Amino acid sequence: MQDRKPQQIARELALLSLSQLPVNPKKLTEEHLPKLVLATVRTLRAEVQDTLDNASGELQRSHDRLLTSETRASDLNTARTMLKEAIEYTQTAINQLGAALEFPELIQLANQDREVGKYAIKLVQTVSEHRTVIDEQISLALVDWQVARLAQIDRDILRIAVAEMRFLNLPDRVAINEAVELAKRYSGDEGHRFINGVLRRVTEQKQTA
């Protein structure tokens, strides 16, 4: 694991625990850090399992298509597309497993530095308290898409970045860079480019508002 600052570790804990915590966790304190850690473990496990299931499904569908095709070009192209998607899912799962292997060290770092727990809790509370406003900003920056239809991990990366920019006084450039790095670790192959594009539109809207 490369050296990471306390806020980077906290950001990762917040990201991976958001989907497992109560809708309104205002009463969370630094003493609840173990809850964030447990939620993070559950999220990592679920994300890896879902991605592997998707990869397995795509492999099976491409295999079936090849077996039933009569070597028509359209059938072969469809099977090739399915196989490509299966490979992408598998690569994402490998990346997630890599993150999971690093997690024991991340937990140790979190336990050693109080700033980690403090900032992780603050992020979770800020996203939860201002979720409506944050989602509205994200929605305005999406092109022909809806916040509710985003993958959970992408949605939470965007929420954290917007929360840091709007409510925690983190410079836009830093928030975007940190979000992109999270997306490279936990999102799909094109996830970090998508995250970067949406957040840049968010900052453009702030400037014209």
Side-chain angles (χ1 to χ4, degrees):
M1 176 186 290
Q2 64 182 15
D3 291 338
R4 278 181 277 174
K5 297 177 181 178
Q7 285 194 353
Q8 292 175 315
I9 299 170
R11 198 174 284 114
E12 198 162 335
L13 281 173
L15 168 67
L16 295 173
S17 63
L18 270 173
S19 64
Q20 299 286 336
L21 292 171
V23 175
N24 188 20
K26 287 185 178 180
K27 295 183 179 179
L28 286 176
T29 67
E30 292 175 54
E31 295 178 356
H32 293 93
L33 183 60
K35 287 188 177 181
L36 264 68
V37 170
L38 178 59
T40 300
V41 170
R42 288 173 174 169
T43 300
L44 279 173
R45 182 181 62 194
E47 288 286 332
V48 171
Q49 188 60 58
D50 287 349
T51 307
L52 288 174
D53 288 346
N54 287 334
S56 177
E58 288 299 321
L59 281 172
Q60 186 61 52
R61 283 189 286 274
S62 63
H63 179 261
D64 293 344
R65 178 58 65 98
L66 285 172
L67 287 180
T68 58
S69 72
E70 298 176 358
T71 67
R72 292 193 298 270
S74 60
D75 287 334
L76 292 175
N77 286 335
T78 300
R80 188 179 294 114
T81 299
M82 290 177 173
L83 184 58
K84 180 181 177 182
E85 290 177 356
I87 292 171
E88 289 174 355
Y89 279 128
T90 304
Q91 184 60 55
T92 299
I94 290 171
N95 292 340
Q96 292 168 341
L97 283 170
L101 290 173
E102 291 181 353
F103 196 68
E105 185 176 349
L106 186 146
I107 294 173
Q108 183 66 20
L109 292 171
N111 289 331
Q112 289 175 351
D113 195 328
R114 286 192 61 195
E115 187 178 342
V116 170
K118 184 177 179 180
Y119 194 67
I121 294 293
K122 182 184 290 187
L123 279 173
V124 171
Q125 290 176 331
T126 303
V127 170
S128 298
E129 183 177 353
H130 301 287
R131 181 166 296 181
T132 299
V133 173
I134 290 170
D135 283 359
E136 285 176 356
Q137 283 205 298
I138 296 171
S139 181
L140 290 172
L142 292 173
V143 179
D144 299 326
W145 205 249
Q146 297 176 348
V147 173
R149 295 180 62 192
L150 293 173
Q152 180 74 53
I153 203 75
D154 291 342
R155 184 163 61 242
D156 286 342
I157 290 173
L158 289 170
R159 282 171 171 166
I160 287 173
V162 173
E164 289 188 299
M165 288 190 288
R166 176 156 183 164
F167 299 104
L168 299 178
N169 300 317
L170 192 70
D172 293 353
R173 179 179 57 81
V174 176
I176 292 173
N177 288 342
E178 293 296 331
V180 167
E181 289 305 311
L182 282 176
K184 287 180 180 178
R185 289 175 62 78
Y186 293 106
S187 186
D189 191 43
E190 296 296 320
H192 67 282
R193 295 186 181 88
F194 171 75
I195 295 293
N196 182 66
V198 173
L199 291 176
R200 292 197 179 281
R201 286 192 291 275
V202 168
T203 59
E204 290 169 1
Q205 290 168 357
K206 283 175 56 182
Q207 293 168 1
T208 58

